[in-house]
Amino acid sequence: MSIRRNLHYESGVSEAIGFLLMFTIVIMGIGLVTLYGLPMLLQQQSGADEKIMEKNMIVLQNDFKSVVYKTIPYKETSMKIASGSLYVDSAGTTGPTFSIGSNSGLNDYLLPSAPTTGVPTGDLKYQSSQSQSEISLQNGAVVKRDLSASGSVMLAQPRWFYDSYTQTLVINIITVNSSSVMSREGIGTVQMELGQSPDYPTDYVYLTSTTTPALSSSTVYVTYTPDSGQDYSTAWEDYFVNTMKMSCSGSPTVTCSHSGVAALVIKRTDIIIRSL
């Protein structure tokens, strides 16, 4: 007779310990994803939102061009403002200042209806809440800077130009104004309109001949003065030097000169932001 015995040794197996081990592994996985993956995802999302706002600001710049150069009385654009806020800085209170004269001291300031200190242009400004970056639409240009470091970059240029054949320098001054302090997050519609005549738009033409009004010299000086806490001097100086072929000096207030100017045309336009 043969006898077979089945022996099962289960004294070392515990369901509770197995559950705790699996639970610990799951919690550690979630913790690692939260610790390393979530910040990376947020950073990527913030970067994508900034890129979208860069494009939105260029779209608004094109709206500015339509209002200023095509004299379209009214424009509006709907957009999503994510990971930050869009602000309106009125020209009467803040924004960069541009001064134009025909000598280095700017004694013969060339915009008679403006203060002798220059024209504060105001701006439309986007400030990110996730990263230290700021994008500004000021005087027809889109500029960007990192708040945690020095320097700035121009994303889209304004419409200034110099015709070497006729020696004509054309400068467009675009100011931004609003009836009240405005800011917007999320979905918004930017409504803008052309400033009313007879104040705007206004053209000033100066010649180096005996025609009145006349330039005192064939060299025109442009001075950019940044608003407090909004230094975009690097971006503007780069534009003046590389695109307009001016000679510049100074920082953060930048004074640039352009020689060989027989005619200077200054077009000043005001854009009123009705709502965001």
Side-chain angles (χ1 to χ4, degrees), residues 10-171:
E10 298 180 352
S11 59
V13 176
S14 173
E15 294 181 359
I17 294 176
F19 172 78
L20 290 175
L21 289 174
M22 294 301 297
F23 183 76
T24 302
I25 292 173
V26 170
I27 294 300
M28 289 180 62
I30 295 174
L32 289 173
V33 171
T34 303
L35 182 62
Y36 295 102
L38 185 59
M40 186 177 298
L41 291 175
L42 292 176
Q43 184 178 5
Q44 293 293 329
Q45 181 62 46
S46 177
D49 291 337
E50 286 182 26
K51 292 296 182 182
I52 292 173
M53 281 307 301
E54 289 179 11
K55 296 178 181 179
N56 286 341
M57 297 298 273
I58 293 176
V59 169
L60 291 177
Q61 183 200 37
N62 291 328
D63 288 347
F64 273 34
K65 291 178 181 178
S66 296
V67 172
V68 172
Y69 307 117
K70 299 179 182 179
T71 61
I72 295 176
Y74 179 86
K75 287 282 290 185
E76 69 174 30
T77 299
S78 298
M79 62 180 61
K80 179 181 180 181
I81 306 165
S83 301
S85 301
L86 185 66
Y87 303 88
V88 177
D89 292 329
S90 293
T93 58
T94 186
T97 299
F98 292 83
S99 305
I100 307 169
S102 57
N103 62 55
S104 59
L106 299 176
N107 295 327
D108 52 345
Y109 187 71
L110 298 177
L111 290 178
S113 62
T116 57
T117 55
V119 180
T121 62
D123 67 344
L124 273 175
K125 179 178 63 180
Y126 167 78
Q127 188 165 346
S128 174
S129 59
Q130 301 294 333
S131 63
Q132 297 294 317
S133 64
E134 183 179 272
I135 306 172
S136 173
L137 174 54
Q138 53 183 237
N139 199 16
V142 180
V143 289
K144 181 181 179 179
R145 69 189 183 104
D146 188 343
L147 303 180
S148 62
S150 59
S152 55
V153 63
M154 186 170 288
L155 303 178
Q157 297 179 349
R159 282 192 175 182
W160 295 20
F161 62 90
Y162 176 73
D163 182 15
S164 59
Y165 181 76
T166 60
Q167 294 185 323
T168 301
L169 177 63
V170 179
I171 296 176

Side-chain angles (χ1 to χ4, degrees), residues 228-249:
S228 177
Q230 299 185 45
D231 183 7
Y232 293 98
S233 58
T234 302
W236 279 103
E237 182 177 4
D238 180 71
Y239 171 71
F240 291 146
V241 172
N242 296 317
T243 302
M244 297 302 298
K245 307 303 179 184
M246 291 182 170
S247 299
C248 297
S249 62

Side-chain angles (χ1 to χ4, degrees), residues 186-258:
I187 303 296
T189 300
V190 181
Q191 299 178 345
M192 63 184 73
E193 68 178 14
L194 181 66
Q196 300 299 312
S197 61
D199 296 328
Y200 301 102
T202 305
D203 293 344
Y204 303 93
V205 180
Y206 301 88
L207 306 173
T208 54
S209 63
T210 57
T211 305
T212 302
L215 294 172
S216 61
S217 71
S218 61
T219 301
V220 172
Y221 293 85
V222 178
T223 296
Y224 163 83
T225 304
D227 187 29
S228 177
Q230 299 185 45
D231 183 7
Y232 293 98
S233 58
T234 302
W236 279 103
E237 182 177 4
D238 180 71
Y239 171 71
F240 291 146
V241 172
N242 296 317
T243 302
M244 297 302 298
K245 307 303 179 184
M246 291 182 170
S247 299
C248 297
S249 62
S251 180
T253 298
V254 180
T255 299
C256 303
S257 62
H258 199 301

